[in-house]
Amino acid sequence: MDTTRRGMLKTVATAAGAAATHDLAHAQEKDHDHGHSHQAVPSDPALRVKSLESLLVEKGLVDRAALDALIDSYEHKIGPRNGARVVARAWADPAYKQRLLTDADAAIAEMGYGGMQGEHMRVVENTPKVHNLVVCTLCSCYPWPVLGLPPVWYKSAPYRSRSVIDPRGVLREFGVELGEDVDVRVWDSTAELRYLVLPERPAGTEKLNEEALAALVTRDAMVGVAKVTARREGNPT
Amino acid sequence: MGGMHGMGPVQNEKNEPVFHAPWEGRVFALRRAMAAWGKWNIDTTRHEVELIPPAEYFELSYYARQFVAFLEMLVKSNLVTRGEIESGIPAKGQPKATPPLTAEKAVILVAKGVPTSRDVKVSPRFKVGERVRARNINPVGHTRLPRYARGKFGTIERDHGVFVLPDTNAHFRGENPQHVYAVRFAARELWGEQAAPRDAVNLDLWDDYLEHA
């Protein structure tokens, strides 16, 4: 199995005229010259992926319009603004909050959200005494319909390895310092349940409507690595 | 990798784009579109990434890992040959196929998802509130029971219902649907005295991963 896969890496590398591992690891960098004299195809991973896409299209295996539609969904339509609206409604509407905490799938569907990688949702509530933090130590499971695709840090080895053993240390790096009287609950997304943190509503927001509340809610707060503050700093993330 | 040391600080990039380069988006979309052929399932794809040797795994970026695993799945499922990948040209004499996933179906796929719960009657082996132990199993193949929880004691916090078992599904040995539970482990049970006394880690675990304490 290993040999086959390594062989594949080599094959791809040869076709691309570069060391695949190194090249893909530094995918954002420009083409390197690896001293191969037989360079038929440039080593840029972008071109390697493009070559595969063309092959699959020519074989009639994929439809480019479907690819564009998938990318468009996650680049332009689905993202943390969805989750922010869910959170804001839960803050503004106690009955909705109750439904959200007991049957997240139905409550999120009420807002018009759901689908891929959010088929089975659970919402966990932060309180002055409990702080929830979501991770996937095994891969990168994340609630796409409400948060979009995960950021690089969520998929990174530091976050995946350390969140379970040192959640307070990880939180400190995100600027969240928790007292000893606060219990930390880490949710390792090991199955097909996807978790959304319902952050604490900040003080001083009593007069805000749902839309204004939603504007305060950040992606990081819904993963559990940040708190929501009454005034947003910087751009939405 | 839960619980491993030495990975360094978490780097939070400000105003991060969804994809850092267009090819990342293409890899993302190609994987979803090709999954519509039904030659593999989500557990197969996860296992294929796990088969990347650790040194390479850590060096590759997320989408590079996805790409490498994807190539392997394409070949294993006989959708594409290595020669075709190498040359970038379809083998001669094969009729052109019709893609199963159109743009319209892609939008539906995104909106509906692919549920892994199963509406079958399976009795739960454990009750909410029950103390359990995560089994000490170390399979060579795919599993979703993290190493750091094996052999540890926890409490059933919620019964999520019946879901496909990844351990068999990843290897095309059947869905084996069974109950999945949220199981709460005290942080000190997992990590010892260094952990805060009332902190906890919750894992979603299948019936087959648990035994009565």
Side-chain angles (χ1 to χ4, degrees):
Chain A
M1 187 85 61
D2 239 73
T3 320
T4 322
R5 209 198 51 76
R6 280 173 185 279
M8 174 56 74
L9 265 178
K10 201 171 250 174
T11 303
V12 176
T14 308
T21 303
H22 177 256
D23 195 42
L24 285 162
H26 302 278
Q28 276 119 261
E29 294 171 21
K30 271 298 193 188
D31 195 356
H32 310 270
D33 181 3
H34 289 275
H36 294 243
S37 53
H38 55 277
Q39 200 154 312
V41 184
S43 65
D44 190 334
L47 291 173
R48 216 173 311 153
V49 173
K50 198 173 191 174
S51 161
L52 181 72
E53 180 179 325
S54 299
L55 173 70
L56 297 178
V57 169
E58 272 189 65
K59 284 173 70 75
L61 296 173
V62 293
D63 176 347
R64 276 213 169 94
L67 303 179
D68 295 339
L70 287 165
I71 292 167
D72 181 57
S73 292
Y74 292 96
E75 275 197 327
H76 302 118
K77 293 173 181 155
I78 299 167
R81 291 303 91 210
N82 293 2
R85 286 186 199 104
V86 170
V87 167
R89 179 151 179 219
W91 285 346
D93 178 350
Y96 180 76
K97 177 176 151 184
Q98 202 50 49
R99 294 202 293 283
L100 186 64
L101 294 174
T102 51
D103 186 356
D105 291 344
I108 290 168
E110 275 181 53
M111 302 286 287
Y113 311 131
M116 204 151 64
Q117 285 300 303
E119 295 92 345
H120 315 286
M121 288 288 306
R122 180 165 177 189
V123 176
V124 289
E125 183 187 17
N126 281 354
T127 70
K129 293 290 176 198
V130 175
H131 185 92
N132 295 285
L133 180 74
V134 179
V135 64
C136 174
T137 62
L138 297 174
C139 43
S140 309
C141 298
Y142 192 75
W144 295 0
V146 283
L147 294 186
L149 298 182
V152 167
W153 64 259
Y154 184 87
K155 301 179 281 189
S156 72
Y159 187 73
R160 288 169 53 197
S161 61
R162 295 175 49 216
S163 295
V164 282
I165 191 169
D166 184 23
R168 289 168 187 266
V170 168
L171 285 166
R172 219 169 284 129
E173 282 168 25
F174 278 92
V176 177
E177 188 78 47
L178 295 176
E180 284 178 13
D181 60 331
V182 180
D183 297 355
V184 175
R185 285 183 198 156
V186 180
W187 301 86
D188 189 355
S189 316
T190 50
E192 294 303 333
L193 273 292
R194 296 291 168 268
Y195 289 86
L196 182 77
V197 173
L198 175 58
E200 283 180 84
R201 180 173 178 164
T205 59
E206 293 74 16
K207 288 180 181 157
L208 299 182
N209 63 19
E210 264 185 55
E211 201 186 328
L213 286 171
L216 301 176
V217 181
T218 62
R219 174 197 70 199
D220 290 2
M222 293 181 281
V223 180
V225 296
K227 291 187 174 241
V228 177
T229 51
R231 189 177 287 273
R232 284 291 306 277
E233 291 157 25
N235 295 322
T237 50
Chain B
M1 64 178 78
M4 280 176 76
H5 286 309
M7 300 294 186
V10 180
Q11 311 273 356
N12 190 356
E13 179 185 343
K14 294 291 171 210
N15 303 315
E16 184 175 338
V18 174
F19 300 111
H20 285 80
W23 71 266
E24 294 190 344
R26 303 316 278 183
V27 169
F28 170 81
L30 282 167
R31 285 173 54 102
R32 263 87 217 158
M34 288 302 291
W37 283 98
K39 302 281 189 186
W40 58 72
N41 57 60
I42 190 163
D43 298 308
T44 322
T45 66
R46 289 190 182 128
H47 184 57
E48 200 59 59
V49 173
E50 289 166 357
L51 289 174
I52 299 172
E56 285 174 34
Y57 182 100
F58 282 114
E59 189 161 351
L60 293 170
S61 72
Y62 173 80
Y63 284 108
R65 291 198 292 263
Q66 299 281 306
F67 183 56
V68 165
F70 178 51
L71 292 176
E72 198 61 26
M73 290 188 296
L74 289 174
V75 172
K76 283 180 184 171
S77 61
N78 296 318
L79 286 167
V80 174
T81 66
R82 288 177 198 280
E84 287 177 319
I85 292 175
E86 195 172 357
S87 66
I89 299 161
K92 284 197 174 67
Q94 287 188 351
K96 190 167 174 169
T98 304
L101 195 77
T102 60
E104 291 78 22
K105 285 181 182 165
V107 172
I108 295 166
L109 171 69
V110 167
K112 300 278 180 207
V114 186
T116 46
S117 59
R118 291 293 178 264
D119 195 13
V120 292
K121 282 260 179 262
V122 182
S123 301
R125 287 176 54 229
F126 304 95
K127 294 192 296 285
V128 171
E130 190 174 343
R131 198 164 154 73
V132 293
R133 187 182 195 182
R135 290 174 63 204
N136 183 14
I137 51 168
N138 290 277
V140 173
H142 184 60
T143 188
R144 300 285 293 177
L145 174 58
R147 276 189 190 81
Y148 73 84
R150 294 174 194 172
K152 305 291 185 180
F153 291 92
T155 306
I156 304 278
E157 191 251 357
R158 190 183 272 204
D159 184 342
H160 292 304
V162 175
F163 288 81
V164 172
L165 179 72
D167 305 46
T168 49
N169 196 44
H171 305 288
F172 308 108
R173 293 202 305 263
E175 293 197 335
N176 203 358
Q178 53 187 266
H179 281 258
V180 172
Y181 313 88
V183 185
R184 179 162 300 176
F185 296 85
R188 285 201 168 169
E189 165 69 11
L190 299 173
W191 315 113
E193 294 300 306
Q194 74 182 73
R198 290 202 314 276
D199 288 358
V201 181
N202 296 265
L203 289 84
D204 291 322
L205 301 177
W206 281 258
D207 247 328
D208 275 8
Y209 297 171
L210 300 170
E211 59 195 18
H212 296 276

